[in-house]
Amino acid sequence: MSHHLSGPNLRSPEGDARLDLTDLFAFASREPGRTVLIMNVNPVAPSGGQAFHPEAVYRIDIDTDGDQRADIAYSFTFSEPVGGAQSMTVRRTTGEGARGHEATGEVLVSRAPVSFTGTPAVVEAGSYRVSAGLRSDPFFADLDGIVKDFQWTGVDWGADKNVFGIVLEAPDAAFGEAPEIGVWARVSVRKDGRLVSVDRGAHPSLTAYFNEEDVKDAYNAGEPVDDWVTYRDPWTAKLQHFGGYTTDAAHAQLRIVLPDVLRYDRARPAVYPNGRSLTDDVTSARLTMLTDGKVSGDHIGPHTDLLPAFPYLGHPH
């Protein structure tokens, strides 16, 4: 899967689908001079929970100088659901505040409505546009075929699935002055009074293929700046096993996804791995990488229910 079920043993982190990061997207808005970031959670929503977790911090981190550390962070927190209704607060922090996981900094949006119906709730606050709620899952893949050793079934697992989407759009300068940024998402939850990172990621379909079950929790708690030293060797062994890579060739491939930060040069079109649009065939990209081109794709195309404008994610099924 892209990043669905990213806890140990193909389960959601903490056994709670509301905390399960499924995908991250970064692409240019249909309006010139603006950037869109999308963070999806809760696979097969709303069966994993009828609302966002009220004790969680959903976060998009942005590296503006290439050091694999957050320089800007957008945090999204949610109220306790009451009568099926929930609201969202959005904060922006920079510098040292962006290096932690707490929801701190300037409040951009307060008590924004969250939509769990087919009509998206869109809030405009200054130059920002935000939306959160139940949406169609844009992830497409023949998962049964992957499990069956690439004997393709022609069935798109995600065709009828929903997620909880968090969509943020702003002027390019809000995400840093330089055209290239690095982006990753994180979900943290309060446990015994302490905020704990339980999921994080940027590039699709990494932890499912590369991480052993007993290291997934540590990976989800980690920081991108440590990824190359920590995961280069075990992930090199995975590529040598799957694709017969030499060590040097494996390292060249891993440089694209480690550290686990999605690089996006906004001076160029968003086509994965330069950012990621909602129609990028990331499953085929990952299969090609894993097998050194022996398996080049799963023959499943992107979804056709995407919206032409904000919030871009299709209406829920």
Side-chain angles (χ1 to χ4, degrees):
M1 295 187 179
S2 183
H3 201 79
H4 303 57
L5 304 178
S6 43
N9 304 309
L10 288 179
R11 294 171 57 85
S12 294
E14 302 294 306
D16 191 330
R18 298 172 298 174
L19 306 175
D20 196 331
L21 171 67
T22 65
D23 281 294
L24 176 69
F25 301 90
F27 56 90
S29 166
R30 297 295 174 89
E31 299 180 28
R34 294 174 67 83
T35 296
V36 179
L37 303 178
I38 298 179
M39 174 185 184
N40 289 339
V41 299
N42 197 355
V44 199
S47 61
Q50 301 295 323
F52 288 91
H53 199 305
E55 292 297 319
V57 176
Y58 301 85
R59 189 176 178 97
I60 298 176
D61 289 321
I62 300 167
D63 169 26
T64 63
D65 57 11
D67 67 353
Q68 324 302 339
R69 300 178 187 272
D71 300 295
I72 303 170
Y74 291 87
S75 298
F76 309 86
T77 54
F78 296 85
S79 67
E80 289 281 353
V82 178
Q86 193 172 36
S87 63
M88 173 179 67
T89 297
V90 184
R91 293 176 173 86
R92 182 183 191 270
T93 189
T94 60
E96 286 303 314
R99 303 289 168 87
H101 299 165
E102 290 282 358
T104 59
E106 176 190 4
V107 175
L108 302 178
V109 179
S110 180
R111 297 188 295 277
V114 178
S115 173
F116 298 108
T117 67
T119 302
V122 177
V123 173
E124 300 205 21
S127 60
Y128 287 91
R129 186 176 292 141
V130 297
S131 183
L134 184 67
R135 308 306 295 161
S136 173
D137 190 346
F139 174 65
F140 53 97
D142 184 347
L143 292 188
D144 287 338
I146 293 173
V147 171
K148 295 175 181 177
D149 294 327
F150 313 129
Q151 300 301 307
W152 304 120
T153 70
V155 176
D156 176 8
W157 176 88
D160 61 351
K161 304 300 190 298
N162 294 326
V163 289
F164 285 173
I166 300 172
V167 188
L168 175 70
E169 179 180 310
D172 289 346
F175 305 117
E177 296 293 341
E180 183 172 319
I181 57 175
V183 185
W184 64 99
R186 185 181 299 277
V187 182
S188 303
V189 69
R190 216 161 292 283
K191 297 171 59 178
D192 300 323
R194 185 170 65 94
L195 192 66
V196 178
S197 174
V198 295
D199 205 355
R200 60 104 179 182
H203 288 274
S205 302
L206 291 185
T207 196
Y209 285 117
F210 286 103
N211 281 329
E212 299 294 338
E213 302 303 329
D214 60 354
V215 302
K216 287 184 177 180
D217 283 341
Y219 185 84
N220 289 334
E223 298 291 343
V225 70
D226 301 318
D227 284 348
W228 181 254
V229 170
T230 305
Y231 299 104
R232 176 194 59 198
D233 291 345
W235 289 23
T236 294
K238 290 285 187 179
L239 285 181
Q240 291 173 330
H241 170 73
F242 278 113
Y245 283 87
T246 66
T247 298
D248 287 346
H251 287 179
Q253 289 294 317
L254 291 177
R255 283 292 185 188
I256 299 172
V257 298
L258 284 178
D260 190 2
V261 175
L262 182 64
R263 306 307 305 184
Y264 178 30
D265 181 351
R266 293 172 293 172
R268 300 189 290 120
V271 178
Y272 183 79
N274 182 53
R276 180 184 173 189
S277 78
L278 295 169
T279 57
D280 285 340
D281 189 353
V282 295
T283 297
S284 294
R286 190 63 64 239
L287 291 174
T288 300
M289 173 193 176
L290 281 167
T291 66
D292 195 18
K294 299 177 183 68
V295 178
S296 59
D298 64 348
H299 313 292
I300 300 295
H303 294 172
T304 59
D305 62 351
L306 302 172
L307 302 183
F310 193 91
Y312 300 99
L313 298 173
H315 298 302
H317 301 282

